[in-house]
Amino acid sequence: MLKDITLGQYFPGKSVVHLLDPRTKLIILVGYIVALFTAANWISYGVVFAFLVFCIAISRIPVKAILRGMKPLVMILIFTGILNLFFTEGQNMIVSFWGISITWEGVERALFMMIRILMLISGTFLLTYTTSPIELTDGIERLLAPLNKIRFPVHELAMMMTIALRFIPTLIDEIDRIMSAQKARGADFDSGNLIQKAKSLIPILVPLFVSAFRRANDLAMAMEARCYNGGDGRTKMKPLHYAQRDYIAYVTVIV
């Protein structure tokens, strides 16, 4: 299950989506999320879904990679669907038992919410799959640059967000190694009730925290050794420039 978490991974490529400016992709993602949350019927959801499929197709990202990343979300989807199914009031009753009522409105809302979560996560995955951490940092920093006038630490915020995103796959691999080592010593993480399973995670969490702090310390020392002192006076190896494809992407999203 841990290996199915693909958030933060980057798939190098030369597709149109890969070549877009990171600012363009971030703005498109925001517009996509707004459109997704304002969709109110199956037609509008169909339009947003068609746009998502189009983006996945031209990005050349394997569909299996996106579907594999959805596996850890199964319990969240089920929980969300159950909440909306049983706690949505409506006029068209389907079944009622033990004081719990299921209506057609509840079924429709549960489907809407589950589809919305899936499409939201898919769009976010597509951003991280097609944008390197460095490009993502530069894009966030350039978009938030006006906040520098009020002394907001834009560069530091962008750096922290990107480092946190980049360390997700690393920590997942670390958890997998720790679990394998503990199982080789006779640890059992599958049997027992919920409380016993929670207690069995302690031998995993302690080494994980130690490893995370060690990695953070090594990263800080490496940045200091390279004379990193924030965003003041820093230049970009690859400055961001808008191209014709970025303007075409903006027009496509607006349409």
Side-chain angles (χ1 to χ4, degrees):
M1 183 66 73
L2 291 174
K3 295 182 179 180
D4 294 328
I5 301 177
T6 56
L7 180 64
Q9 293 186 5
Y10 170 62
F11 293 86
K14 296 295 183 180
S15 69
V16 176
V17 180
H18 283 84
L19 297 177
L20 287 176
D21 190 284
R23 295 169 292 178
T24 302
K25 288 185 274 190
L26 286 167
I27 293 174
I28 288 176
L29 179 62
V30 173
Y32 169 79
I33 294 174
V34 171
L36 185 59
F37 276 86
T38 54
N41 52 53
W42 292 109
I43 296 177
S44 53
Y45 269 93
V47 173
V48 178
F49 179 74
F51 175 75
L52 176 63
V53 172
F54 172 74
C55 292
I56 294 175
I58 64 175
S59 69
R60 300 177 185 174
I61 296 296
V63 179
K64 291 183 179 180
I66 297 178
L67 295 178
R68 188 174 72 250
M70 297 294 178
K71 289 182 180 180
L73 302 174
V74 172
M75 294 305 299
I76 297 177
L77 290 174
I78 294 175
F79 182 71
T80 302
I82 291 176
L83 285 180
N84 287 275
L85 183 65
F86 292 123
F87 295 97
T88 300
E89 297 181 355
Q91 302 295 329
N92 302 314
M93 188 73 65
I94 299 178
V95 64
S96 179
F97 58 94
W98 297 342
I100 300 176
S101 301
I102 300 178
T103 62
W104 283 112
E105 289 82 1
V107 173
E108 186 177 24
R109 183 175 178 82
L111 291 175
F112 274 154
M113 293 302 297
M114 294 172 67
I115 293 173
R116 178 179 293 175
I117 292 175
L118 288 174
M119 294 174 63
L120 176 64
I121 299 301
S122 299
T124 307
F125 280 174
L126 193 61
L127 173 66
T128 59
Y129 288 167
T130 59
T131 312
S132 67
I134 296 177
E135 291 178 342
L136 196 59
T137 302
D138 293 343
I140 295 174
E141 185 177 357
R142 289 291 296 274
L143 287 176
L144 299 179
L147 296 178
N148 283 322
K149 296 181 179 180
I150 59 175
R151 298 183 181 277
F152 188 82
V154 174
H155 177 79
E156 288 74 10
L157 176 63
M159 181 65 69
M160 286 189 297
M161 291 175 60
T162 307
I163 290 176
L165 192 64
R166 175 62 186 85
F167 265 79
I168 291 176
T170 304
L171 292 179
I172 290 174
D173 292 338
E174 187 71 22
I175 293 174
D176 188 58
R177 285 194 293 267
I178 294 173
M179 291 184 66
S180 299
Q182 296 291 354
K183 288 181 179 179
R185 294 175 174 86
D188 185 10
F189 302 107
D190 300 323
S191 61
N193 54 33
L194 185 61
I195 297 178
Q196 292 174 340
K197 289 183 179 180
K199 289 182 178 180
S200 65
L201 294 178
I202 296 178
I204 298 177
L205 295 178
V206 174
L208 178 63
F209 275 108
V210 173
S211 175
F213 283 118
R214 185 184 297 116
R215 289 179 182 275
N217 184 63
D218 293 342
L219 178 61
M221 292 181 63
M223 295 173 71
E224 289 180 359
R226 290 165 174 80
C227 300
Y228 174 79
N229 58 359
D232 296 335
R234 289 180 62 85
T235 58
K236 307 295 183 183
M237 181 178 178
K238 296 181 180 179
L240 300 180
H241 297 289
Y242 277 120
Q244 183 179 6
R245 54 179 173 266
D246 295 296
Y247 298 110
I248 295 175
Y250 280 131
V251 173
T252 303
V253 173
I254 292 173
V255 172

